[in-house]
Amino acid sequence: MLNKVANLGGLFAQKSEHPLADARELRKVLAELPKDNAFKTLDEIAGWLESLAGVAEFPADRLYEVLQQFEEAAAPHLKRLSQEYFYTARLSKSEEKRLWSINYGFWTLLADAYERCLQAVSDKPRAGELAKSALPLLTVRLIIALGRKLKWEQFHYGPLSGELWRRLGAALLAAEAADAGGKAVALPGRSGMSTPVQEYQKVMLFQAASLDSLLPVEIEVAERLIAHFLPGFVYTEKVLVDSVYWSDLTLAQPPQRLARMPARAQATQRFIKPGPAHAEMLTMLDSLERGGDVPAEISLGAAYPAKLLIRVLRHLTAYLAPVPPQRQHDRHRVKHRMSVLHGLVNAFVVFSGEFGGRPAGLQMESWVVENVSRGGFGALLSSIPGEWLRVGALIAMQPEGGDNWLVGVIRRCHRETENDARVGIQVLARQAVSVELRIRSASSYAAAAGVPALLLQDGNAADELRVVLPPATFDLRESLEYAEAGRRVSLTPLALIEQTGDYEVGRYRRSVSG
């Protein structure tokens, strides 16, 4: 990954000078970076960062200057590729991995290099060392780089490294030791000022918000909303009666919910409670639900549909609340296997009943169910399947030894390792029927093209049905029909419940004629 200028570090490690030690050479390298090829530009910058990692005698003050200029040169290209990652419909597995790797790799290399600079800060700097006055900006940049690395790990739903939190804590402790934790600094290309403490708070809240049930674009929006509402959260060095989350700057563990007090008080512990921020988020949520606009002062980086913003705000107001959500249903530990098929097409086949209980030719996954509740399952995957595994994926499930299939949606996904993952599955229905729907206004019922759909039979209000449809099918202006036992059943649209790039779930009123 990111192997531009491979072996360059080893080459220059044996010499006293690296090309980038010369200011003119750095200017030349920056000037020659491609302007219209984000992948190539970031690959070249990553190559130079890799080469610097192998040069032990490179002066830290010069290294810090080089890193800042590379970070600023990379910024527009990182933004472009991030947008491609979020907004391109149905990325292939290889393209998704390429976009993810170039972003994650850049922030990994940059954070490592900034940490090297931090180790060279001195009260009385000698040649090649950094003065203590560099600490506020250096630690802000380092915490941001580590936070970006954490965010890209979250886009892949883990595995999340506990060691990352020790590194974040060490950066903040270094700033605080120099009385620079609250020192505000400006970053090129960004509006406003920030401090090392504020950047740490953002990352702490990002982790505390339990974002593993959101899609990557929703995680991006959540991060920006957290930054906007940050001043309303209360961050303390001593526990308060209504503190909700805590962390220890010396421990290799993420922030924890304060279900009970830490074993003993430590000077390195930090605590957060929602404070006024929670009411402010609720106010914005209420405004959006009533059809209001996003306040002009909130920078989201792009225009987003109201439904997406509402979903993210509902999540944040739940998990960053004075009392975070408790589990709705009790979990019961079990250990059995479950066959899994993904997607509406496969589900349509198994619920049609035309090919038997386990249709041949369909590629089934075998997952281990670890716990079950009234709302769904928790499952372990010993090998991560293809590119379809993500939050929001529709699946059909059949417990081992049973002959019934269930319809579910993946609501949480967390990678334990590169090959193993745990998922949380919401059961949409325990009974479903495959049908071909037609638009009711079609002039010839028999000639109209059918739309494959699943009718969810349980969990509905009286005279209503939830229907799983192909994407871009639901329309409040169009009623649908299907044949049942020689009669026509009419479905009048009521509301769109869920919408993804792969399927939609609509709510309809059911009536029978003929």
Side-chain angles (χ1 to χ4, degrees):
M1 179 186 73
L2 304 173
N3 56 5
K4 178 70 176 173
V5 199
N7 302 320
L8 194 57
L11 174 65
F12 286 111
Q14 300 169 11
K15 298 184 179 182
S16 59
E17 288 293 330
H18 185 287
L20 296 181
D22 184 284
R24 289 177 298 179
E25 187 64 26
L26 174 61
R27 287 196 295 271
K28 180 182 177 184
V29 168
L30 292 169
E32 292 177 352
L33 290 173
K35 301 294 188 292
D36 57 354
N37 189 324
F39 271 110
K40 189 173 181 182
T41 298
L42 292 174
D43 195 47
E44 289 193 16
I45 291 175
W48 285 112
L49 293 178
E50 286 177 335
S51 76
L52 289 166
V55 187
E57 69 275 15
F58 199 96
D61 54 353
R62 181 67 192 150
L63 175 62
Y64 183 44
E65 176 62 27
V66 169
L67 295 178
Q68 291 181 87
Q69 294 202 45
F70 273 142
E71 182 178 357
E72 288 157 26
H77 303 286
L78 290 165
K79 180 179 179 181
R80 184 185 309 169
L81 293 188
S82 296
Q83 290 175 336
E84 190 173 334
Y85 184 86
F86 298 139
Y87 307 128
T88 302
R90 304 184 66 83
L91 282 170
S92 68
K93 187 66 174 177
S94 60
E95 188 65 11
E96 187 273 342
K97 184 176 181 180
R98 186 183 183 211
L99 287 166
W100 184 89
S101 296
I102 197 78
N103 280 278
Y104 180 76
F106 173 82
W107 292 113
T108 297
L109 290 167
L110 189 68
D112 291 348
Y114 276 141
E115 278 184 324
R116 182 175 162 190
C117 294
L118 185 60
Q119 294 164 6
V121 172
S122 173
D123 284 329
K124 298 178 180 178
R126 295 174 294 179
E129 294 182 331
L130 274 171
K132 197 179 263 189
S133 60
L135 266 175
L137 183 57
L138 170 58
T139 50
V140 162
R141 286 187 179 274
L142 173 54
I143 292 171
I144 288 174
L146 290 169
R148 292 289 183 270
K149 180 177 179 179
L150 176 70
K151 182 170 73 168
W152 281 91
E153 286 180 352
Q154 185 64 70
F155 289 156
H156 256 197
Y157 306 103
L160 304 177
S161 167
E163 178 61 18
L164 187 71
W165 286 96
R166 188 200 60 76
R167 296 168 67 187
L168 283 160
L172 182 56
L173 285 172
E176 292 181 341
D179 292 326
K183 181 70 179 294
V185 294
L187 287 167
R190 297 185 183 212
S191 60
M193 310 279 278
S194 188
T195 71
V197 168
Q198 287 173 337
E199 292 304 326
Y200 182 84
Q201 290 173 6
K202 290 178 190 175
V203 186
M204 187 175 175
L205 286 165
F206 180 86
Q207 179 70 35
S210 298
L211 301 176
D212 56 351
S213 64
L214 300 185
L215 298 170
V217 67
E218 294 170 336
I219 294 171
E220 171 72 9
V221 171
E223 183 196 41
R224 288 179 174 271
L225 288 172
I226 287 169
H228 174 77
F229 290 109
L230 186 69
F233 289 91
V234 178
Y235 176 87
T236 60
E237 296 184 7
K238 294 186 182 297
V239 65
L240 304 175
V241 292
D242 50 355
S243 295
V244 180
Y245 293 98
W246 71 282
S247 68
D248 189 317
L249 302 181
T250 62
L251 298 183
Q253 72 175 25
Q256 306 290 308
R257 188 178 291 187
L258 198 61
R260 60 179 181 272
M261 299 288 285
R264 53 185 170 181
Q266 301 284 357
T268 52
Q269 290 169 352
R270 301 293 182 268
F271 303 87
I272 277 185
K273 69 174 185 176
H278 190 251
E280 293 167 5
M281 289 190 291
L282 284 173
T283 298
M284 180 178 169
L285 174 59
D286 181 66
S287 173
L288 290 174
E289 289 178 331
R290 292 171 180 270
D293 296 326
V294 177
E297 66 272 16
I298 298 183
S299 173
L300 295 176
Y304 296 99
K307 284 184 179 179
L308 185 149
L309 297 175
I310 289 170
R311 171 170 159 76
V312 173
L313 275 167
R314 283 176 178 167
H315 182 95
L316 292 180
T317 53
Y319 284 88
L320 298 179
V323 180
Q326 307 299 311
R327 186 169 301 281
Q328 288 183 319
H329 307 296
D330 291 337
R331 279 184 179 179
H332 303 285
R333 292 193 175 278
V334 296
K335 209 75 168 180
H336 64 76
R337 288 199 168 271
M338 178 172 68
S339 296
V340 176
L341 288 165
H342 77 277
L344 177 55
V345 172
N346 286 333
F348 183 87
V349 172
V350 297
F351 285 105
S352 71
E354 295 182 15
F355 304 96
R358 294 177 64 86
L362 298 183
Q363 181 151 4
M364 295 190 189
E365 306 284 342
S366 180
W367 294 358
V368 177
V369 175
E370 295 186 310
N371 58 74
V372 61
S373 71
R374 196 171 68 187
F377 304 98
L380 173 67
L381 288 62
S382 57
S383 63
I384 295 176
E387 57 192 72
W388 65 266
L389 182 67
R390 59 186 177 275
V391 171
L394 184 77
I395 58 174
M397 307 165 285
Q398 185 182 59
E400 187 177 52
D403 57 4
N404 62 307
W405 286 86
L406 293 75
V407 184
V409 174
I410 295 176
R411 295 303 189 195
R412 289 188 178 276
C413 181
H414 177 76
R415 294 172 188 253
E416 302 284 320
T417 68
E418 285 301 316
N419 297 316
D420 302 332
R422 280 187 162 82
V423 296
I425 304 160
Q426 177 192 4
V427 174
L428 292 185
R430 300 177 186 277
Q431 299 176 53
V433 175
S434 297
V435 297
E436 288 196 17
L437 300 174
R438 290 173 173 81
I439 298 173
R440 191 179 181 191
S441 59
S443 57
S444 173
Y445 182 83
V451 175
L454 292 181
L455 306 182
L456 306 183
Q457 301 284 288
D458 52 305
N460 302 309
D463 297 323
E464 290 187 10
L465 278 177
R466 288 169 300 142
V467 183
V468 185
L469 302 157
T473 299
F474 183 88
D475 190 332
L476 273 173
R477 300 165 297 180
E478 290 182 344
S479 293
L480 300 172
E481 284 186 337
Y482 66 96
E484 179 184 270
R487 300 179 299 173
R488 287 191 183 186
V489 180
S490 176
L491 299 176
T492 303
L494 297 174
L496 181 62
I497 302 172
E498 185 162 1
Q499 185 177 40
T500 75
D502 299 319
Y503 66 91
E504 297 175 342
V505 182
R507 189 162 60 88
Y508 290 82
R509 179 172 292 110
R510 180 180 185 272
S511 58
V512 180
S513 61

